[in-house]
Amino acid sequence: MESTARLIIDGKTFELPVIEGTEGERALDISDLRKETGLITLDPGYANTGSCESSITFMDGEKGILRYRGIPVEQLAEHSSFRETAYLLINGELPTEEELNRFSEMLNDHSLIHEDMRSFFENFPRRAHPMGILSSMVNGLRAFYPELPQRNEKEEINITFTRLLSKVRTLAAMSYKISLGHKVVSPSHRLSYCANFLNMMFDSPVRPYAIDEDLVQALNVFWILHADHEQNCSTSAVRLVGSARVNLYAAISAGIAALWGPLHGGANQAVVEMLQQIYDNGGDPAPYIARAKDKSDPFRLMGFGHRVYKTYDPRGCIMEKMCAKVLKKLKRKDPLLDIAKRLEEVALKDSYFIDHNLYPNLDFYSGIFLRALGIPLNMFTVMFAIGRLPGWISQWKESIDDPQWKLHRPRQIYIGPKERDYIPIEEKS
Ligand code: SDX
């Protein structure tokens, strides 16, 4: 296949290198475009623009394929744990038993929060959104854990990764308990990563939390499905902020902020709010589908559509099955699950959704799963953030290890006023 593309501008021909990825995706390398031609490209939302070469996650949006370091997400969901998948994403290979045990020990050793951070929580308004608290607290971690020069760079970075992975879980549970005015539950060295989180969230002196291994396993799968997704909005925020060589905590804090948006990670909360509205209005999804199709209405069907997937999101298929499994295990029914299935059925028969390739994405069922676990609505996106953390860390690491490292600084096409003179205010009419 051609390894160059020809561009003719004002009668002059320019050759652009064509590069090819492991799975056959091809790209025009425009690194020298402006130097060679004086022109830049314009691509609002970067729908056609690759920001980097990466060996972490592969997605095929047309075929609904998702692989972490080459391993299909379906296999990881079936056989792996969140800790093992986090290790795979960050280190590039699945761990040996010894490596995984060492990783687990470090996660345990770094699971406590500095007691002085407690006062941060106590000074947030009770109604503060947990995503705003999490973004602030992660940024605040830097003040408590500055890089220590006596450790070598690689060891320091690994400790920082593990500290973040472990403490973000404790911070989330702590913010929940403090928001209720309840006693904070400390992490236990006896519990695994996911069991520890559930215990910190739901244990209480008057009602001890009974660890259910099926729910722990379901949470592992939930976080595996969220662990990475190549250059999505929040990962791109981590890479962009990280490109200025800020510390990892600041870059991750930026990723949390980006994920908060309802078009991105905030969609899992928005889906449940939409389904609840449909339920409260009698359960008929038709008016919402009509609104989603109405160009004059800014309403979007939350949990539907994706920038990359133009078929089923493979994670959404697994999440739907997990909802049913957990509700069955808990012997519970959730009317919102029935509404979601009805909505999906009606939408996928509608030509608008078919023509626009709009299918349920990861967020469409994830909120119903979280409701079944007892996670409060305003913490749904925090749950997404905890799952996405290994992905953000691995992508940040790949970018700082890149010998081609560049500060992210896109260009623009200016369409404002031409040069004009200042007018003193007294002359302004
Ligand atoms: C996540 O990127 C990732 O990988 C993200 C993520 C991850 O793991 O990191 O997968 C997680 O963020 C999943 C997406 C969660 N967001 C939602 O569920 C919110 C609802 N979805 C949409 O807002 C939308 O689908 C986006 C933002 C997700 C993607 O939008 P695009 O690719 O920018 O598409 P677009 O906005 O250009 O829309 C293309 C067309 C438009 O119609 P036309 O003007 O071309 O006629 O599709 C329509 C849109 O109006 N459209 C929708 C729709 N999504 C797109 N119409 C109704 N309802 C929707 N949900």
Side-chain angles (χ1 to χ4, degrees):
M1 243 187 280
E2 285 284 306
S3 61
T4 59
R6 271 178 216 87
L7 197 55
I8 300 171
I9 302 174
D10 305 332
K12 199 173 169 203
T13 302
F14 299 90
E15 300 254 325
L16 291 176
V18 173
I19 60 171
E20 184 165 334
T22 319
E23 294 292 339
E25 328 99 286
R26 300 202 298 159
L28 294 177
D29 180 343
I30 58 169
S31 313
D32 294 330
L33 182 70
R34 191 169 188 276
K35 188 171 69 177
E36 299 291 325
T37 70
L39 275 71
I40 62 169
T41 57
L42 182 64
D43 183 20
Y46 309 121
N48 304 282
T49 299
S51 62
C52 61
E53 292 175 296
S54 177
S55 57
I56 299 170
T57 291
F58 172 69
M59 289 169 65
D60 181 321
E62 282 64 39
K63 294 179 188 149
I65 291 173
L66 173 60
R67 299 186 201 130
Y68 299 157
R69 301 286 187 181
I71 302 175
V73 73
E74 293 83 356
Q75 291 184 27
L76 292 165
E78 171 101 26
H79 305 295
S80 185
S81 67
F82 178 57
R83 282 172 303 140
E84 186 182 52
T85 298
Y87 187 100
L88 168 70
L89 283 166
I90 293 170
N91 298 290
E93 296 296 337
L94 288 165
T96 61
E97 190 158 1
E98 187 193 345
E99 288 166 334
L100 187 59
N101 290 338
R102 174 76 191 114
F103 185 47
S104 298
E105 272 170 35
M106 286 179 71
L107 285 168
N108 175 64
D109 294 346
H110 292 285
S111 54
L112 290 171
I113 299 300
H114 195 296
E115 281 302 306
D116 291 355
M117 290 196 95
R118 290 284 302 263
S119 57
F120 288 23
F121 282 105
E122 274 132 22
N123 291 299
F124 278 108
R126 280 278 183 271
R127 66 187 178 289
H129 194 288
M131 280 297 276
I133 296 175
L134 187 66
S135 182
S136 313
M137 297 304 281
V138 165
N139 221 345
L141 283 174
R142 179 74 171 79
F144 290 87
Y145 305 102
E147 274 67 29
L148 302 178
Q150 66 263 27
R151 283 194 284 241
N152 69 49
E153 176 77 5
K154 186 166 168 41
E155 183 194 358
E156 185 54 48
I157 282 191
N158 276 334
I159 289 174
T160 303
F161 290 164
T162 314
R163 180 184 288 135
L164 251 175
L165 283 167
S166 192
K167 291 185 189 315
V168 77
R169 174 196 44 170
T170 311
L171 286 169
M174 225 171 145
S175 74
Y176 175 57
K177 284 294 196 187
I178 289 174
S179 73
L180 297 175
H182 290 184
K183 185 173 172 353
V184 168
V185 176
S186 296
S188 162
H189 66 281
R190 295 188 189 84
L191 297 174
S192 68
Y193 188 92
C194 293
N196 236 322
F197 174 77
L198 291 172
N199 191 58
M200 288 191 278
M201 283 287 287
F202 302 120
D203 190 40
S204 124
V206 294
R207 185 183 290 274
Y209 180 70
I211 299 285
D212 177 322
E213 284 310 325
D214 288 340
L215 298 187
V216 171
Q217 175 49 25
L219 183 55
N220 270 289
V221 174
F222 176 88
W223 275 336
I224 286 171
L225 295 179
H226 286 77
D228 194 53
H229 218 229
E230 56 134 277
Q231 305 312 316
N232 61 83
C233 178
S234 53
T235 297
S236 298
V238 170
R239 279 184 174 254
L240 185 136
V241 170
S243 77
R245 290 190 182 278
V246 290
N247 63 83
L248 175 62
Y249 301 106
I252 298 296
S253 175
I256 295 170
L259 188 72
W260 194 356
L263 292 189
H264 188 18
N268 57 17
Q269 177 176 339
V271 167
V272 167
E273 288 164 343
M274 174 186 73
L275 294 174
Q276 188 64 54
Q277 252 187 37
I278 296 173
Y279 177 77
D280 295 343
N281 293 323
D284 178 4
Y288 292 82
I289 289 182
R291 284 188 61 196
K293 293 160 63 177
D294 177 357
K295 287 298 156 214
S296 63
D297 188 333
F299 175 78
R300 287 280 179 92
L301 210 55
M302 288 291 123
F304 262 73
H306 198 275
R307 174 61 59 79
V308 175
Y309 291 126
K310 299 308 169 190
T311 181
Y312 264 95
D313 179 336
R315 306 166 299 175
C317 305
I318 300 170
M319 189 59 71
E320 181 184 359
K321 293 189 186 85
M322 292 234 312
C323 283
K325 194 174 165 188
V326 167
L327 287 168
K328 186 168 175 232
K329 163 76 186 184
L330 295 169
K331 298 184 180 62
R332 247 188 257 162
K333 285 187 72 57
D334 185 345
L336 299 194
L337 179 58
D338 302 331
I339 289 183
K341 285 175 180 276
R342 177 99 187 91
L343 182 59
E344 177 183 349
E345 185 193 335
V346 174
L348 295 189
K349 287 182 188 144
D350 185 299
S351 59
Y352 174 86
F353 291 86
I354 295 166
D355 298 347
H356 283 86
N357 297 309
L358 301 177
Y359 291 85
N361 57 50
L362 169 67
D363 294 305
F364 189 61
Y365 287 103
S366 63
I368 296 167
F369 169 81
L370 294 170
R371 267 163 65 96
L373 279 191
I375 305 291
L377 181 64
N378 68 358
M379 279 194 68
F380 284 8
T381 312
V382 167
M383 295 299 285
F384 192 145
I386 297 171
R388 184 51 52 88
L389 192 53
W392 287 334
I393 288 173
S394 62
Q395 300 271 353
W396 179 87
K397 181 171 183 287
E398 185 175 71
S399 63
I400 61 163
D401 290 345
D402 180 354
Q404 308 292 322
W405 171 309
K406 278 192 182 306
L407 175 72
H408 286 209
R409 203 278 187 213
R411 305 301 294 260
Q412 64 161 28
I413 292 294
Y414 174 73
I415 53 170
K418 283 190 169 295
E419 186 176 5
R420 54 185 177 155
D421 294 328
Y422 173 78
I423 302 169
I425 194 161
E426 54 273 12
E427 294 175 23
K428 287 287 284 181
S429 49

